[in-house]
Amino acid sequence: KQEVTQIPAALSVPEGENLVLNCSFTDSAIYNLQWFRQDPGKGLTSLLLIQSSQREQTSGRLNASLDKSSGRSTLYIAASQPGDSATYLCVVNDYKLSFGAGTTVTVRA
Amino acid sequence: DAGVIQSPRHEVTEMGQEVTLRCKPISGHDYLFWYRQTMMRGLELLIYFNNNVPIDDSGMPEDRFSAKMPNASFSTLKIQPSEPRDSAVYFCASSLPGAVGEKLFFGSGTQLSVL
């Protein structure tokens, strides 16, 4: 059974600092990996989707890397802003979706 | 596109009552997923459909839970009878044709409270 772990569970940084969120998974035979953002009381918004054949994906200030062999993905958010405060979830797809518990990020103004 | 639409946004009911949650996926998406989110267990997949056909319902916790997708634009998740431990946020998600979980799009969720 695929186990997805996100570390740290919570993170608080001052505005402008770069964020590094980690996701690890136990079975490397994955189809793709997706990072989501969840705001309190709201649904999940897709940020980046990395296919198993890719090493990274970028969108604006966001960059996600994937190292399938070691079972790791990292989400980098450059120059964080208070609006980046949210919970970030990693979802691993090995033809069944497995969710991490999330990292709750607080960016202090 | 309006995205995945769920209703109601909030539902408060008493134990033993029937609850029906509704979902309208994004037009053209042929996968539809129902998830439940709690603080203790995180996000759990309950059931998913492909082309209106239930593919995997192994996550449905009990026979009290049932889901239907009568057509490509509508799905329901029903709990009968409801219990306090069913209190959670229920999310519906849809994705494009191609494969399971290919770029998921989530609705805003239904916050269910069973008293």
Side-chain angles (χ1 to χ4, degrees):
Chain A
K1 180 190 171 189
Q2 181 77 264
E3 303 276 346
V4 181
T5 305
Q6 289 189 246
I7 294 173
L11 188 59
S12 179
V13 300
E15 183 176 3
E17 193 165 301
N18 296 333
L19 289 163
V20 179
L21 309 179
N22 297 299
C23 171
S24 62
F25 46 95
T26 53
D27 187 343
S28 62
I30 68 170
Y31 180 70
N32 60 42
L33 183 146
Q34 199 165 356
W35 283 93
F36 287 88
R37 168 187 173 134
Q38 184 173 25
D39 293 283
K42 297 190 178 179
L44 285 74
T45 302
S46 177
L47 298 174
L48 291 166
L49 173 70
I50 313 177
Q51 301 294 348
S52 62
S53 58
Q54 297 175 317
R55 300 279 300 183
E56 65 177 350
Q57 277 285 338
T58 298
S59 175
R61 294 183 295 111
L62 276 59
N63 173 275
S65 66
L66 175 64
D67 184 343
K68 225 173 48 160
S69 60
S70 66
R72 291 180 187 172
S73 177
T74 303
L75 178 66
Y76 301 89
I77 304 176
S80 61
Q81 303 168 358
D84 295 328
S85 298
T87 296
Y88 293 83
L89 288 146
C90 164
V91 180
V92 174
N93 180 9
D94 54 5
Y95 290 94
K96 187 159 185 165
L97 298 177
S98 299
F99 288 78
T103 295
T104 298
V105 171
T106 303
V107 181
R108 308 185 303 273
Chain B
D1 196 318
V4 177
I5 299 172
Q6 289 187 247
S7 63
R9 286 298 310 276
H10 303 276
E11 177 79 37
V12 181
T13 190
E14 292 187 347
M15 183 174 64
Q17 296 297 307
E18 176 179 296
V19 175
T20 300
L21 311 181
R22 297 173 177 78
C23 175
K24 176 178 166 51
I26 293 173
S27 177
H29 286 194
D30 64 357
Y31 281 92
L32 184 138
F33 306 79
W34 281 101
Y35 289 92
R36 177 171 69 176
Q37 185 176 38
T38 61
M39 288 293 291
M40 292 297 293
R41 300 167 71 101
L43 267 164
E44 302 173 280
L45 175 64
L46 300 176
I47 184 171
Y48 78 90
F49 295 83
N50 179 222
N51 291 319
N52 313 337
V53 177
I55 304 299
D56 184 352
D57 66 354
S58 59
M60 297 284 263
E62 300 170 36
D63 290 345
R64 298 184 295 106
F65 286 69
S66 63
K68 293 182 180 178
M69 192 164 186
N71 57 61
S73 59
F74 184 66
S75 177
T76 59
L77 178 67
K78 187 175 293 186
I79 309 172
Q80 165 64 19
S82 58
E83 296 183 5
R85 60 195 168 114
D86 302 331
S87 298
V89 180
Y90 291 80
F91 287 104
C92 175
S94 68
S95 69
L96 289 162
V100 173
E102 190 69 51
K103 194 96 185 243
L104 275 175
F105 294 81
F106 279 79
S108 298
T110 295
Q111 173 79 57
L112 173 64
S113 298
V114 183
L115 307 176

